[in-house]
Every structure is written in structure tokens, then in C-alpha cells.
Amino acid sequence: MKKRFQQSDFWCDFKCAHGWQKVSCGDVNILVRTFKKAFISFSLAYIPLAPEKNEGEDDGSYIARVGELSSKIKGLLPKNTLCLRYDLPLDFSTCEERDSFVKNLPLLSKSRKVNIKKNKVDIQPPDSTFLDLSKSEEDLLASMKNKWRYNVRYAAKHEVQVRAVTADSLDFEKDLDSFYELYKTTASRDGIGLHPKSYYKDLLERGAESEKSEGEEKTKITLYIASHEGEDLAAIITLFNSSEAIYLYGCSGNNKRNLMPAYLVQWTAIKDAKAFGSRIYDFYGMPPTDDENHPMHGLYLFKTGFGGAHVHRPGSFDIPLSSMYSFYTLAENARAFWHKKIMKKIRGR
């Protein structure tokens, strides 16, 4: 079974260049982060999208296996580690199936003697939509909503240009600067966080090196920029490997939005992902349902309009390892409430 990209050595090594440490237990990669301030020191261990559920395996057996894996991992971690945090790679086709799993987990884990708790703060986006790239381009276009198909063609007709940029491109530094300015505009407009520019530069540079590597799973990182008459309007960063293509980051400016550059830039990436050989295109994060009152309802409409299948994961789960775990989660929940509720209301979102 193919690893999710979050479990790949490429991605874990990239995260290790930005504050994490990698520990391996069999074929599972664990990311460990240590925090130190004054006399306080503690670590967190994070297992992104692993272990996979075996075909035909029931939920109880799966949770028991998570418990067994946790016992093995524990001995590899710093002594001050507060918890093991899993993003379980369970893909449900409906919210109801996902919610049923979460609801039944306490009884299930108790019967298997696994102390696993649902965390209120999810690390990986639990909801997404996947495009099946085994379809022809004609079928992919046909599966879009009519307005989305129209917008793709409208942007092309009105001479919106999309260029694919890698770290080996001639104007890489200039294009990276343009991307980052667009991202700052988006962050200010939508109230989202962003990494330093060096983070995205490193990711693109590692992608260029991976493409040149011999005898390894190649990971392609591309920056797509849509422009019109020399003005950059929208951009995305994607990750392609043999099993999946991921829309990692996206941004847009405030000018010429009527030219629909975001639609054409996505369609260009989708076509390239198909040509690369990826099996699916993952839009990577959206609201769980078509709720008009959700602050990110527009994002839901944009991503689902391309015609993919909805995927709902149960989110993050913790196996506590320290008596200090409860104090940490209280602080973590308070921080999440402040940023997701209070600050968004202050900003009028």
C-alpha cells in the first residue's frame, strides 16, 4: 500500500528542516517537536496519516493495532513527550460515517484497552474532495459544474496565462516573490496564517532535487502562477507523486478577479497531474458540508465545483503519555478558540 505524502521521507525530511525531528518505527514515520521556554521543556510526537487500515480489517482490530504501534513508538521518544498524536488515514465518503466512527471510539478503545482520545484541534484538514485522474480530460471537464467549466474557458479566452515554475526556472526568485506577495494579500483578506517565504522556497528547491534523483520515488513541487497582461493574479503550489497530487497552498490578489484566474490555474495543475501519472488530485481541505453560514463556504463551493468525490477523515487523536497532557490540551484549546472564534469575529469574519 502506498504511503500518503505526509508519511513520505521527502515530506518528513522537509518538515525536519523546519523544527521537527524524524523517528521511524518500522515503515511509519513519526515527527517529534520539542518546546523549551525557561525551565519548561516538553515534546510532542505526531504520526501523520498512519497506520493504514488493512483491507477487511474491522474498527476494533485497527484500534488495537494502533495501540500496539504506540507501545513500540513510546520507547523511541524523549522522556518528556506529552502524547502521541495521530491523524488516522480513514477515508469516509459521508460525514455520518465519519461521525459514527468518532462517536463509537470511546467504547471501542475501552474494549481494546487503548487510551485514545479525540483531540479538538485537527492537524491535517479532515475534509476534502478528490478528482479521479484516470478519467480523460474530456470527462474531467464534463464532471465539473457548468459554471466552473465556463470559467476555465472564459479565463483562457480572455488571455489569462498560466506558467509552471520550479526552483530550476530562470525567473524563480522573481516568481517566488510574486507568489509571496499574493499570499500576503490573501492572508490579510481571509485571516489565515502563512509561513516565511524561506519555507516555500525550501519546498520548491527540494522538489527540484527530488526530480533529479535516481532510483527514488520522485516528488514534483510546482508553483503555478496565473497572469494577465504582465500582472500576476493568482497562484498555487502543488505536490505530485505517483499516487496522488495535492493542492497544498493557494492565493490570489484583489485585481481582475472577474477574469477567473483561480479556475484556470487549477485546471492547468489538474492536467499536469494527470500527465505526471498521479492517480488522484486532492484539493486538500474544505468545510465538511454545504453550510452557507460557514465562514469558508466559498471555499467549499470552489473546490467541490470541480466534480470530485468528497472524503471525510476523523481528524486528530491523542494517546496521552504524561500527566501534563491535560494541561497542554487546555492551553491548546484556549488558543484555538481565540484564533478561530474571537479573532475572526474581531476581523468581521
Side-chain angles (χ1 to χ4, degrees):
M1 184 179 293
K2 285 277 190 181
K3 288 185 176 183
R4 315 286 177 120
F5 85 91
Q6 298 93 336
Q7 274 291 310
S8 68
D9 288 333
F10 173 90
W11 188 256
C12 290
D13 290 344
F14 166 61
K15 299 303 286 186
C16 286
H18 299 274
W20 295 85
Q21 292 178 297
K22 183 174 71 174
V23 175
S24 296
C25 183
D27 62 351
V28 174
N29 283 328
I30 303 102
L31 293 170
V32 179
R33 190 152 198 169
T34 299
F35 301 85
K36 295 181 180 179
K37 190 168 184 179
F39 60 90
I40 299 175
S41 176
F42 64 90
S43 300
L44 298 174
Y46 175 51
I47 302 92
L49 280 294
E52 295 285 352
K53 193 176 184 182
N54 296 324
E55 186 174 354
E57 186 175 29
D58 62 69
D59 290 344
S61 299
Y62 175 71
I63 291 301
R65 189 156 57 84
V66 170
E68 292 167 4
L69 175 63
S70 301
S71 297
K72 294 176 183 177
I73 293 172
K74 184 178 178 181
L76 305 173
L77 302 175
K79 292 182 179 179
N80 63 351
T81 303
L82 298 185
C83 68
L84 284 171
R85 178 161 294 174
Y86 287 89
D87 265 305
L88 298 178
L90 304 175
D91 298 342
F92 297 99
S93 58
T94 69
C95 291
E96 290 75 18
E97 291 175 310
R98 184 260 308 278
D99 295 345
S100 176
F101 172 83
V102 173
K103 182 179 179 181
N104 292 333
L105 186 65
L107 284 176
L108 196 64
S109 58
K110 185 177 180 180
S111 68
R112 298 292 175 150
K113 298 181 180 178
V114 179
N115 183 21
I116 186 168
K117 303 174 180 291
K118 179 71 182 79
N119 189 43
K120 291 182 179 179
V121 180
D122 294 322
I123 306 301
Q124 299 297 325
D127 304 284
S128 188
T129 181
F130 292 178
L131 284 181
D132 178 3
L133 296 181
S134 67
K135 294 180 178 180
S136 67
E137 287 188 13
E138 292 76 14
D139 286 341
L140 286 169
L141 278 168
S143 67
M144 292 183 193
K145 291 181 179 178
N146 289 337
K147 182 64 174 177
W148 271 240
R149 191 164 53 249
Y150 172 84
N151 287 346
V152 167
R153 291 168 174 162
Y154 182 90
K157 180 180 178 180
H158 287 78
E159 300 184 344
V160 173
Q161 304 292 321
V162 178
R163 62 188 184 276
V165 178
T166 70
D168 290 332
S169 297
L170 184 63
D171 293 323
F172 171 62
E173 295 285 351
K174 179 182 176 182
D175 287 332
L176 181 66
D177 288 344
S178 182
F179 159 79
Y180 202 65
E181 287 304 311
L182 287 170
Y183 215 146
K184 286 194 291 186
T185 297
T186 300
S188 175
R189 183 180 65 228
D190 298 341
I192 60 174
L194 72 165
H195 296 285
K197 184 168 62 175
S198 58
Y199 180 91
Y200 308 102
K201 181 180 181 181
D202 183 34
L203 177 60
L204 284 152
E205 289 176 340
R206 287 172 183 269
E209 288 303 312
S210 176
E211 284 198 85
K212 299 170 189 173
S213 63
E214 297 292 336
E216 298 179 9
E217 167 76 27
K218 288 181 170 47
T219 301
K220 181 180 179 66
I221 306 293
T222 309
L223 166 61
Y224 291 93
I225 302 178
S227 64
H228 181 259
E229 296 179 344
E231 181 182 3
D232 292 339
L233 306 177
I236 63 174
I237 291 179
T238 60
L239 178 153
F240 299 167
N241 62 34
S242 61
S243 59
E244 57 187 344
I246 313 292
Y247 163 33
L248 287 174
Y249 308 107
C251 52
S252 61
N254 295 325
N255 296 335
K256 300 183 179 180
R257 295 166 72 89
N258 61 301
L259 294 180
M260 308 301 169
Y263 294 83
L264 186 60
V265 79
Q266 286 291 346
W267 176 235
T268 304
I270 289 164
K271 290 190 294 181
D272 285 358
K274 178 177 173 59
F276 185 85
S278 301
R279 292 185 296 106
I280 63 165
Y281 187 89
D282 181 354
F283 279 89
Y284 202 47
M286 65 180 193
T289 62
D290 187 10
D291 178 4
E292 293 183 0
N293 295 318
H294 194 287
M296 302 299 284
H297 182 242
L299 186 68
Y300 176 93
L301 293 177
F302 175 73
K303 292 186 175 184
T304 58
F306 286 91
H310 296 193
V311 173
H312 305 280
R313 298 189 183 118
S316 298
F317 295 82
D318 292 346
I319 291 186
L321 302 178
S322 167
S323 58
M324 297 299 292
Y325 165 78
S326 58
F327 295 102
Y328 174 77
T329 54
L330 282 173
E332 186 178 49
N333 293 339
R335 181 179 183 275
F337 180 81
W338 172 259
H339 284 284
K340 292 182 179 181
K341 301 293 185 181
I342 305 301
M343 289 305 295
K344 284 195 173 183
K345 283 191 175 182
I346 290 173
R347 295 177 180 133
R349 298 183 181 89

